[in-house]
Amino acid sequence: QLVYPYDFRLTEKEKTSICYLSFPDSYSGGLGDTQFSFRLRQSGGQRTTHYEDDGEYNREAPLTLQRESAHYFGYVYFRQVKDSSMKRGYFQKSLVLVSRLPYVNLFQSLLQLIAPEYFDKLEPCLEAVCNEIDQWPPPVPGQTLNLPVMGVVIQVRIPSRVDKPGSSPVKQFNQENLLPAPLVLPSIHELDLFRCFQPVLIHVQMLWELMLLGEPVVVMAPSPTVSSEMVLALTSCLAPLRYCCDYRPYFTIHDSEFKEYTTRTQAPPNIVVGVTNPFFIKTLQHWPHILRVGELRMSGDLPKQVKVKKLAKLKTLDTKPGIYTSYKTFLHKDKTLIKRLLKGIQRKRPSEVQSALLRRHLLELTQSFIIPLEHYIASLMPLQRAITPWKNPPQIRPFRQEDFMKTLEHAGPQLTCVLKGDWLGLYRRFFKSPNFDGWYRQRYKEMTQKLEALHLEAICEANIVAWMKDKSEVEIVDLVLKLREKLVRARCQHLPVKEETLQRVGLYIETIIGSLPEDLQTVLHHH
């Protein structure tokens, strides 16, 4: 019915998809308000974003919170109430917030404030809210922001890449003595993992392996709320490692990718997809891992845990909750986690404490797995003394899987993790996954930039006049052009170089040009 602000351009295809994704696609007798999220592939090429500082934000934000370039997130607030004046006997409407940022808590909290007002007052309400949001500062990693909207101030900290993984968010100091007291969000994006994983707590490790390996997983849930929370919880359990595969927190049969995902002529894609329509039980039967969950109910004791079952059992529409897979885990089960969580349940510990335990466990698991990889890749960097000013910097040595495997004997995950099992098999399988590819590319890019930076510093330390003594004009001009190119690259790519280093290289260039004959000087200055 309405898109606000009006100048926000969506293609027809995107509009249609957003419409289908904004409503539950299976009968839900539930009346009242529900909230859920979806993620949508952008169609129709790259559009310029309003944010020219994308690069800066993405460099400083944790990899898991970068702004997406090819997908939108949709955050939905859906209301269904009996209304005899409507043809269907119900009032059904959704307000959807579309963003490239995965700030699920912030945006869902925002909708809780806006949506009830909007259903009541309609468009003028959105206009007022958008005017307020326009005044918000941009998200800067590491900063705590106060965001005023509708008489409330939401206070939230934007995480930064330099935060220590697993450290609890800094308790916000309310210096400004804001009145009324702000609505403080403990995290901009972290879900209540304990609540999301309730029915699968004893299988958390298997699910972690499936995510690490980028396996195709279907989550079948009774509602978009459960499906989107479960998918987001799954994709977040590798942090700080970035989950590099595609994921759809909620997916309907009207989706433009429906054919692509349900075809049996090729293997299912590396993706986690959340569905609610029972029709998918038939169409996604050939997927290797299907997690079927019921309604999430918070209760005082350990909820009924689902069982791992054979895929062949997945036939009927009234399929019981369970993990339908023939997957055998590489690592043995960790009993201590479940014991700790059970103790927490008996002691009636709040859900956020249980979630913190769970997150800590997953973080330690991921770190045990990734630290040996980080050590090995760091050893591929050339030695600092091999970097000389007048030669191109040496290459980063290639990543050899077998060499890496050899390092595991004395420096493997067993140093930091008590879990026994086939770690080697897990690494071998990981090397075939998009998550390894994504991790390696990111590290390779960082190392290349570090090399460039070290090279610039070496040039700065060098005695340029001595070097020029026995060089021909051609060689000197060549050096000027190369240094200039380096300087431009350092600025464009925001290399980790001190500003004074860049200025000194700039001065060098001027000095060298100054020593050349005038005709050449003119050419170089114009160049």
Side-chain angles (χ1 to χ4, degrees):
Q1 277 181 349
L2 178 68
V3 175
Y4 211 96
Y6 299 122
D7 58 357
F8 183 63
R9 290 275 160 265
L10 286 167
T11 62
E12 284 310 307
K13 190 173 171 187
E14 286 165 346
K15 277 185 195 163
T16 309
S17 296
I18 290 172
C19 288
Y20 280 123
L21 288 165
S22 303
F23 289 100
D25 75 336
S26 53
Y27 170 72
S28 66
L31 291 176
D33 297 355
T34 46
Q35 287 180 266
F36 56 92
S37 331
F38 60 81
R39 184 168 171 270
L40 166 79
R41 192 185 289 175
Q42 184 179 297
S43 70
Q46 288 292 327
R47 263 152 292 175
T48 52
T49 60
H50 294 303
Y51 306 101
E52 295 313 319
D53 63 340
D54 253 19
E56 196 175 336
Y57 170 81
N58 278 353
R59 270 193 309 283
E60 293 172 13
L63 295 174
T64 48
L65 289 181
Q66 289 185 330
R67 202 179 256 124
E68 292 256 3
S69 57
H71 290 85
Y72 289 121
F73 292 98
Y75 302 97
V76 183
Y77 191 107
F78 169 67
R79 172 169 288 184
Q80 173 164 291
V81 285
K82 280 205 160 87
D83 181 346
S84 53
S85 70
M86 296 282 184
K87 203 162 70 187
R88 302 170 75 173
Y90 285 103
F91 168 92
Q92 289 171 312
K93 205 167 218 180
S94 284
L95 182 64
V96 186
L97 190 152
V98 176
S99 169
R100 294 180 184 278
L101 291 164
Y103 295 168
V104 58
N105 291 353
L106 173 63
F107 293 139
Q108 291 292 14
S109 306
L110 187 59
L111 282 172
Q112 279 167 18
L113 296 169
I114 304 170
E117 279 289 300
Y118 167 70
F119 292 135
D120 192 28
K121 303 202 173 84
L122 301 176
E123 198 172 340
C125 157
L126 283 193
E127 189 171 356
V129 163
C130 284
N131 286 336
E132 287 188 288
I133 293 177
D134 280 342
Q135 306 303 312
W136 288 4
V140 176
Q143 286 192 4
T144 295
L145 306 181
N146 291 314
L147 309 171
V149 64
M150 289 176 52
V152 179
V153 174
I154 303 177
Q155 195 178 78
V156 72
R157 181 179 179 277
I158 310 288
S160 151
R161 202 175 292 190
V162 295
D163 296 344
K164 208 167 136 291
S167 59
S168 59
V170 192
K171 285 280 172 283
Q172 280 116 345
F173 294 109
N174 184 5
Q175 293 122 336
E176 296 96 291
N177 295 326
L178 297 164
L179 286 170
L183 167 65
V184 179
L185 300 184
S187 160
I188 203 162
H189 68 291
E190 287 183 345
L191 297 165
D192 183 341
L193 268 196
F194 180 64
R195 197 176 57 92
C196 298
F197 282 156
Q198 274 214 357
V200 293
L201 289 169
I202 59 173
H203 307 296
V204 158
Q205 216 171 292
M206 173 195 256
L207 295 170
W208 175 84
E209 284 189 22
L210 292 176
M211 291 298 108
L212 181 72
L213 301 174
E215 286 286 312
V217 176
V218 183
V219 173
M220 289 185 176
S223 68
T225 309
V226 177
S227 111
S228 59
E229 287 195 341
M230 182 63 93
V231 171
L232 291 176
L234 287 169
T235 55
S236 76
C237 72
L238 296 181
L241 187 67
R242 182 183 188 167
Y243 177 75
C244 296
C245 308
D246 201 355
Y247 61 99
R248 295 302 156 88
Y250 171 52
F251 186 78
T252 74
I253 53 177
H254 304 286
D255 210 286
S256 50
E257 278 100 67
F258 178 74
K259 280 201 177 64
E260 192 181 316
Y261 294 166
T262 51
T263 169
R264 297 188 176 223
T265 52
Q266 60 210 55
N270 301 86
I271 173 173
V272 185
V273 56
V275 300
T276 61
N277 193 325
F279 180 67
F280 280 109
I281 292 180
K282 273 204 191 64
T283 51
L284 296 177
Q285 245 174 14
H286 59 298
W287 279 47
H289 320 285
I290 295 176
L291 167 57
R292 168 89 183 192
V293 285
E295 277 299 347
L296 294 180
R297 290 193 183 81
M298 284 300 268
S299 56
D301 44 0
L302 183 69
K304 194 167 157 38
Q305 296 293 294
V306 306
K307 294 189 169 61
V308 175
K309 306 178 179 187
K310 295 205 165 48
L311 274 160
K313 295 240 162 72
L314 189 78
K315 283 206 170 58
T316 52
L317 290 183
D318 58 341
T319 303
K320 299 266 178 300
I323 300 179
Y324 293 84
T325 179
S326 54
Y327 181 79
K328 296 278 174 282
T329 56
F330 285 91
L331 305 179
H332 305 322
K333 236 185 209 148
D334 180 17
K335 301 272 174 20
T336 50
L337 174 70
I338 288 302
K339 283 183 187 141
R340 274 190 201 151
L341 292 171
L342 274 170
K343 194 183 273 176
I345 290 169
Q346 285 150 7
R347 296 190 176 162
K348 304 213 175 345
R349 270 192 212 130
S351 189
E352 53 269 25
V353 178
Q354 298 277 66
S355 282
L357 260 175
L358 201 48
R359 197 167 265 115
R360 178 94 239 150
H361 171 80
L362 290 165
L363 172 70
E364 284 167 5
L365 199 52
T366 300
Q367 283 179 326
S368 298
F369 182 80
I370 218 77
I371 286 168
L373 283 162
E374 297 284 5
H375 280 319
Y376 172 71
I377 203 165
S379 74
L380 303 178
M381 187 81 168
L383 295 171
Q384 200 146 352
R385 62 165 184 269
I387 300 169
T388 56
W390 317 122
K391 279 207 199 81
N392 278 332
Q395 295 285 308
I396 297 164
R397 290 194 298 285
F399 189 108
R400 294 207 164 86
Q401 292 177 14
E402 288 315 310
D403 290 354
F404 165 71
M405 294 301 212
K406 286 188 195 112
T407 67
L408 293 174
E409 287 156 32
H410 48 87
Q414 69 279 4
L415 297 182
T416 51
C417 190
V418 291
L419 286 186
K420 300 277 177 281
D422 180 11
W423 286 95
L424 295 178
L426 188 60
Y427 281 114
R428 285 215 163 84
R429 188 90 170 253
F430 176 68
F431 288 141
K432 298 192 180 84
S433 85
N435 290 327
F436 169 70
D437 189 55
W439 171 81
Y440 176 73
R441 278 174 199 238
Q442 175 68 25
R443 285 292 172 268
Y444 190 82
K445 182 176 145 191
E446 287 164 7
M447 286 160 72
T448 312
Q449 292 186 342
K450 179 83 182 131
L451 267 180
E452 272 282 300
L454 289 170
H455 193 216
L456 276 171
E457 274 157 28
I459 291 168
C460 250
E461 307 291 300
N463 182 341
I464 212 138
V465 182
W467 178 85
M468 281 163 54
K469 273 205 183 92
D470 53 351
K471 299 292 182 286
S472 67
E473 275 176 14
V474 174
E475 288 174 290
I476 292 174
V477 170
D478 187 48
L479 176 71
V480 169
L481 297 177
K482 275 196 177 131
L483 286 181
R484 267 197 187 155
E485 191 193 341
K486 272 186 155 341
L487 213 48
V488 169
R489 211 167 40 229
R491 293 227 185 269
C492 292
Q493 295 180 358
H494 301 270
L495 293 185
V497 190
K498 294 190 205 67
E499 182 53 40
E500 55 197 287
T501 304
L502 297 179
Q503 285 174 354
R504 280 179 66 182
V505 174
L507 277 174
Y508 271 12
I509 295 174
E510 291 308 314
T511 312
I512 303 171
I513 293 178
S515 70
L516 292 165
E518 276 191 8
D519 55 337
L520 270 177
Q521 285 192 32
T522 319
V523 171
L524 284 170
H525 277 304
H526 285 305
H527 191 75

